[in-house]
Amino acid sequence: MTGPLLPCIEVEARGPATASVIWLHGLGANGHDFEPIVPHLKLSHARFVFPNAPAIPITINGGFVMPGWYDLRSLELSPTVKDREDPTQIRQSAAAVEALIAREVERGVRHDRIVLAGFSQGGAMALHVAPRHAHKLAGLMVLSAYQLLVGSGGEHEANASTPALFCHGRNDSMVPMFAGQAAYESARRPGRDVRWHEFPIGHEVSMPEIQTIGAWLRERLPPT
């Protein structure tokens, strides 16, 4: 990717950052969305990076311009629906996320000390980018999300066994839980640590989920 980096909200570590969490927001939100939960995660040695997606017209919202990682042309998540998302925009956003990973490495955080995370559309982007990244990451976190461009290829062996956490609300009407479960199943393979947690909530996060996320992040990114 060329050009400026995406604007980001950052919560710095207490002292030199020895780990980073790059966390992508959902459609219509912004980088401030998950900023308030950082203190609950108890990861003081990590830098949290919350990028802002570009403002683009969203078809399902009548072309209204809002922050989004890609255009959505339909809410139908059935595998039979084609062209639901804009693949060109997905690849552009993927390049933008890759640039943020590269910046963390330039700032002294190793690839294997970086977790890529996201919620909803941001979770779908994280799930798209991490398997295609050429260096092993510390982990992948997918919250209330689904799989993009199924069967499009491009996965890199470096992250074939990277640990992953999938969380979803049982009462999610925006991204039905079956879509999250399908993404989880696609990530499973022998020997890989892939975890599924479901919660009695809708398209949101709850304190029990935040506690689950914090425990997993501390496991993946212990102090050095």
Side-chain angles (χ1 to χ4, degrees), residues 7-90:
C8 299
I9 307 302
E10 295 192 357
V11 179
E12 277 294 347
R14 296 178 191 169
T18 61
S20 297
V21 179
I22 301 173
W23 195 320
L24 312 180
H25 64 73
L27 178 64
N30 59 44
H32 288 290
D33 203 23
F34 288 95
E35 181 186 9
I37 77 169
V38 171
H40 298 285
L41 302 176
K42 302 175 182 176
L43 212 70
S44 61
H45 57 283
R47 175 188 297 118
F48 283 81
V49 179
F50 300 103
N52 290 295
I56 58 174
I58 301 297
T59 299
I60 60 168
N61 289 332
F64 189 79
V65 175
M66 62 178 60
W69 300 105
Y70 49 85
D71 185 25
L72 269 178
R73 299 162 179 158
S74 169
L75 285 172
E76 177 59 57
L77 280 164
S78 168
T80 61
V81 174
K82 304 300 181 184
D83 300 322
R84 179 177 182 271
E85 304 96 5
D86 186 312
T88 299
Q89 290 175 335
I90 290 171

